Amino acid sequence: MQKIVIALSFFISIVLESAFFPFISMNGVVPNLTMILVICYALHQEEDKAAVTGLLAGLVKDTAVGRIIGVSAITFMMLGYLTSHYKHKIFAEHATTPLIITLMGTLFHETFYLLFVFFLGYQINLIYTQQVWILQALYNLLMVMPVYLALRKLLNWHVMKKQY
């Protein structure tokens, strides 16, 4: 049941990002709900599960949204693994932890995407890129706490703890 609920939550996040969030976009920037979910799940999972969750979520997002396939998969996998790996060294239960990790994850993901696009030979406007990073970070910071709190409540739901 837990895997189904996790898969469904990622499916819903990708549908929201591609179908509904464009209506609230600024300069074409929408919240990266899938990345936020990967980070929040990684705070509650072991490294291998968090990495696989990030990889699968990134592949589905790359395929569904039409971006370059593999960039989100690689960054989400690395974010899931690193967040899960270091959750024991940080205060994972503290309210600011998801905020800080999401801010760092946003900058990491956008930098990785920018470098990937640059090495493919595309022209890059650094002023526009800075605006995108700032907007993306602000959107993600606004979304992370409601998502984190809802996910924590979902993971504590008795159905999620049953083993079938």
Side-chain angles (χ1 to χ4, degrees):
M1 183 70 170
Q2 185 177 16
K3 291 178 185 177
I4 293 170
V5 171
I6 290 172
L8 186 61
S9 67
F10 279 106
F11 176 75
I12 291 169
S13 75
I14 292 170
V15 168
L16 285 173
E17 279 183 48
S18 60
F20 298 110
F21 285 175
F23 295 112
I24 62 168
S25 71
M26 293 178 70
N27 289 344
V29 178
V30 296
N32 196 340
L33 189 59
T34 309
M35 184 190 70
I36 294 169
L37 273 175
V38 167
I39 290 170
C40 291
Y41 272 120
L43 288 170
H44 298 284
Q45 290 180 328
E46 295 303 316
E47 293 127 345
D48 56 343
K49 287 184 182 178
V52 170
T53 302
L55 176 68
L56 294 176
L59 279 174
V60 172
K61 180 179 178 179
D62 284 341
T63 305
V65 177
R67 294 176 69 162
I68 300 170
I69 295 179
V71 176
S72 293
I74 293 169
T75 57
F76 291 177
M77 179 184 67
M78 290 173 21
L79 283 173
Y81 178 82
L82 291 172
T83 302
S84 181
H85 181 72
Y86 288 108
K87 73 180 177 190
H88 302 293
K89 296 179 174 49
I90 57 177
F91 298 108
E93 300 299 320
H94 199 273
T96 58
T97 300
L99 289 169
I100 293 168
I101 293 173
T102 300
L103 179 63
M104 292 179 354
T106 301
L107 296 176
F108 173 74
H109 177 67
E110 295 300 323
T111 302
F112 191 81
Y113 186 77
L114 178 73
L115 288 173
F116 198 83
V117 168
F118 175 75
F119 286 124
L120 285 176
Y122 290 96
Q123 290 288 86
I124 296 171
N125 182 350
L126 290 180
I127 294 172
Y128 176 73
T129 302
Q130 289 175 339
Q131 293 172 352
V132 167
W133 284 359
I134 291 169
L135 285 174
Q136 186 76 55
L138 289 174
Y139 263 145
N140 289 348
L141 288 176
L142 287 173
M143 295 290 294
V144 70
M145 285 315 292
V147 169
Y148 179 73
L149 294 173
L151 183 68
R152 212 161 85 178
K153 188 177 280 191
L154 178 70
L155 290 174
N156 287 329
W157 188 28
H158 68 79
V159 174
M160 294 291 285
K161 295 184 180 201
K162 288 185 180 179
Q163 298 293 325
Y164 295 101

